[in-house]
Amino acid sequence: MNFRKATFFLLFTFYFLVGKAQTPKSYTSSEILQQIKKLNVLGSVLYIAAHPDDENTRLLAYLANEKLYRTGYLSLTRGDGGQNLIGDEQGVDLGLIRTQELLAARRVDGAEQFFSRAFDFGYSKSPEEAMKIWGHDKILSDVVWVIRKFKPDVIITRFPTTGEGGHGHHTASGILAEEAFDAAADSTKFPEQLKYVSTWQAKRLLWNTFNFGGNNTQRADQFKLDVGMYNPLLGKSYGEIAAASRSQHKSQGFGVPAQRGESLEYFKTIKGTAPVNDLFDDILPSWNRIDSKQYGAKYPGYFKQEIGDIANSFNAQKPQDVLPRLVQLHTDLSLVNDNYWRSQKLKELELIIEQCSGLFMDATANTQYAVQGDTLKVNLVVNNRSGANIHSADAQIDTTYVIFDQLQKNKNAAKTYSWFIEPNAKLSQPYWLENEMNHGSFNVTEQPLIGKAESDPLSVAFSMMIEGKEFTFVKPVRYKFTDPVKGEIYEPVSVVPPVTITPKSSVVISTAAKSTTVEVAALRDITLHNPLLISSIPSIKNNIIIDENIGMNGNVVLTKGQKRTFTVFPLANKSAIIAGAQENTIGYNQQLRTINYDHIPAINYFKKAKIEYKILDVKTEGTIAGYIPGAGDKIPEALEQMGYKVVTLKESDINAENLKQFDVIITGVRAYNTNEWMNNVYDVLMQYVKEGGVLVSQYNTSNQIGPVRAKIAPYTFTITRNRITDEEAKVNFLLPQHPVLNYPNKITGKDFEGWIQERSIYNAENTDTAYKKIFSMKDPGEKEQEGSLIIANYGQGRFVYTGLVFFRELPAGVPGAYRLFANIIANKRQANNAPKKNDTKNLKIKVPSKFNGKGAKG
């Protein structure tokens, strides 16, 4: 083609991956018909809450698929501070997982996904704390931005401003939604946004009242509607769709059964006029909302009639037959003067045209990485599967056009293009992680990016003539391969640097100066002029000169895939370093972090190859630890840094003879929630304690999401939902002389300085008299809690249950947490008979090289 549109229509918004082992989504004829009918609906609803999994998926499914409104969910956070039922990722890593889980949910229920810049810093007991940490004005501006850009007729909140939602984030989401309802219409509020959008006044703000968690906020006088009906075009009821959507939140253990039948949703009006008969009372969700003068050359009612006629004449066996009318409709829509609805309906129509035509367009690579300064081989395929009137296909990659041969019915037109990735090409980094974040929020400086669910992928623009008119469809470049069990798999392609730097550990814990290693990996052939470059630490060790802007002398040539390991030594008065490498004048200090789970696309992102050194005054007593994995944590790595040998235990490993070798056995977080077999080994574990062992149980939950599946302890206690969310809460020592506070380390208040996110969760209550309660603490305005650490002697050993969040503090290198944990697991009696440190030849169970093969790496 010799002509180009000025702007591509970015249809990749609709071209989603559905799970690991499936090809990109295509639409059945019934789904296409549903989308054609949606062209006649000009209404939008925005749902607002605080976290992934807060949304009402049944209501979203109903609004998007029954009413055919443009439906969106704004989650203020990405869920970074939650717990993780499927792995050991926390913080930003968990937020990345939950972002993809939300996108998977939206692919099921048909809504769109948005986020603010708020960081989920953990459980909060007040909206004031939440908004102070987030930055009230910053997050309010984000909510206003999404409203102005999305232009919802109706805004619905999940939570009220009055606290019935419990979590401070929940209440804050209701407060911010109410403030934004007015602020979005006020041109004096956040005027910098008006460069991109206009002000917007929604018709009404409703609270979607609820009845869960023992809190019923629904009332007979509230507006209500039934969202449980069956959709014959989709073959499912909205309860069934909602269950599939909600079950995407796998990291939170939110798999739910499908529901069928009537289901009423209740709404309380917060602002605007109250609905009486319909959610859209006094709103025209049709073409009638557009003034006839904005129709271009068409008469009022034209679009409603024409779209209705197209729907009525639609042939499910030959969807391509309506292409001429759809293309003409596209031309007519282009003349509508209402910018918002013209853009939205053109986008919807272009997806319909693509699906009716039966077009298949694919841009794939045989590698997951597009390396800066290297060539990516891209395989391009176009197939006119239905034999529609489609001609002159090409693909634009960067500034190059690849011309396809004449398209023939149901035959692949294939081309291969070698795409040179410029040395300065932008890395595939989630946009909210490009800048250093604040404690409570991400820093995004480009206004148009705010609110987006994820960064745009590396893409190719396919163009062709359909019924005599040019259309352009943007498709992501994806890594495609075949798994012998899962079949064809598509993954994202990420732009990466030519070399990555991976420290063995990002936090090095030791009682004295200790070396560590970094791995330098080449992703293409490369000559490093400074193969190891360490910032701000002068030293010379093993021929490696480590100094400010100075690296190892001489060139090192690495071929693609080759790795080199270098030793790095800490120096006095230097608590952190950043490792890097240099090619010519370009330096690289990125560590590639990869997160892999079957239910979401692979996630790649970068962080600086930073190593923190923590020289601790910590003593240990014992050498061998057994670890029973739960939902996932990084306690084993912390134990290794403390000098322990760690053995991961399966059910078959837990017998009386094997357990004799361990000074301590630690159960991972939620081990009694995730391992049904724990009940089978209860007697063996109790006998181990009785004979002198130490058994430490980290927190478990006791609710509908995570019921305890086995007996835990020799004496009874109750697991509650009580927690201490203030990480600086004063800790009172109830038994100052108890051994756990004195041996082998003397624990003081100083050991509770520098803790992160929170103190404890799922504390114990109703404890048997055999237990000793060690600490009391409280959140502001609440009473003291004494169940964060309970200890009971049993026979010659002891049992410990703790809600203290060691799974957060130890990976973060909090010194006092290490000292306290060393005391909790100390076993003086057993230590005398245990193998010496670094001696594992007498172990009956070999130390594995990895603790857990799932989840994240890097």
Side-chain angles (χ1 to χ4, degrees), residues 724 726-733 752 759 776-778 784:
I724 305 297
D726 182 0
E727 67 270 31
E728 298 180 353
K730 183 177 184 297
V731 179
N732 302 304
F733 292 17
F752 288 92
R759 289 284 195 211
S776 76
M777 57 190 83
K778 67 176 183 177
E784 294 282 335

Side-chain angles (χ1 to χ4, degrees), residues 530-577:
N530 278 320
L532 184 66
L533 182 67
I534 302 296
S535 298
S536 300
I537 297 185
S539 181
I540 299 178
K541 290 286 184 179
N542 292 352
N543 297 321
I544 301 174
I545 304 174
I546 303 174
D547 203 342
E548 181 76 19
N549 297 326
I550 297 176
M552 177 176 170
N553 289 333
N555 295 341
V556 172
V557 177
L558 297 178
T559 58
K560 181 177 181 179
Q562 188 176 0
K563 300 176 181 178
R564 283 281 300 272
T565 299
F566 298 94
T567 301
V568 178
F569 292 80
L571 290 214
N573 302 319
K574 300 294 182 181
S575 61
I577 62 171

Side-chain angles (χ1 to χ4, degrees), residues 86 137 231 340 363 400 432 457 470 538 540 623 716 736 750 760 844:
I86 61 174
D137 289 356
N231 188 319
Y340 174 78
T400 301
W432 60 98
E470 185 185 23
I540 299 178
T623 57
T716 60
K750 186 176 177 61
S760 67
K844 298 178 177 64

